[in-house]
Amino acid sequence: GGMTMEAREFALQARIKTKVLSEWLAAGWLLPHRTGATEVFSEVDLARAHLVRDLHDIGINDEGVSVILDLVDQLHGVRRLLREILSGLDAQPEAARRRTGR
């Protein structure tokens, strides 16, 4: 949710050159939404850009960055799945109790 920005503003916020931004987009490291011809970036993209910069700073190469971002995405998927499972479990006992009439 919250803040969205276009490429130029995003590059400014992420403190990267627009050329670098194009490269990162080509690598699939950022996941902007498309509205027509415009790419719209979110806070998630900003967080990813900062992560990429940090990884580069500690000497991780591009291949490593791709692997790490992939793992981060998987983790988020796993977290979402766990939340769904857990909220499903929360609802369970209630229904079970009602059926047994206790």
Side-chain angles (χ1 to χ4, degrees):
M3 195 172 62
T4 58
M5 44 210 139
E6 289 181 19
R8 193 185 307 256
E9 191 191 344
F10 178 80
L12 213 66
Q13 293 272 341
R15 296 198 294 280
I16 57 176
K17 295 186 173 69
T18 42
K19 183 174 146 318
V20 172
L21 177 55
S22 311
E23 288 166 8
W24 291 9
L25 282 168
W29 293 350
L30 304 169
L31 314 163
H33 293 289
R34 275 198 172 284
T35 19
T38 318
E39 276 164 334
V40 183
F41 297 86
S42 70
E43 286 157 1
V44 174
D45 290 302
L46 202 54
R48 288 171 80 89
H50 288 152
L51 176 59
V52 171
R53 286 194 28 236
D54 290 345
L55 293 172
H56 278 155
D57 286 347
I58 60 173
I60 306 270
N61 66 12
D62 287 354
E63 208 172 321
V65 169
S66 290
V67 169
I68 290 167
L69 286 176
D70 204 39
L71 290 171
V72 167
D73 289 340
Q74 285 182 40
L75 259 178
H76 282 296
V78 167
R79 285 212 190 105
R80 196 167 35 244
L81 195 64
L82 273 174
R83 266 202 306 276
E84 285 168 15
I85 291 170
L86 289 173
S87 67
L89 287 177
D90 274 352
Q92 215 68 42
E94 191 59 47
R97 274 201 300 277
R98 226 174 282 128
R99 265 200 308 279
T100 53
R102 275 206 295 274

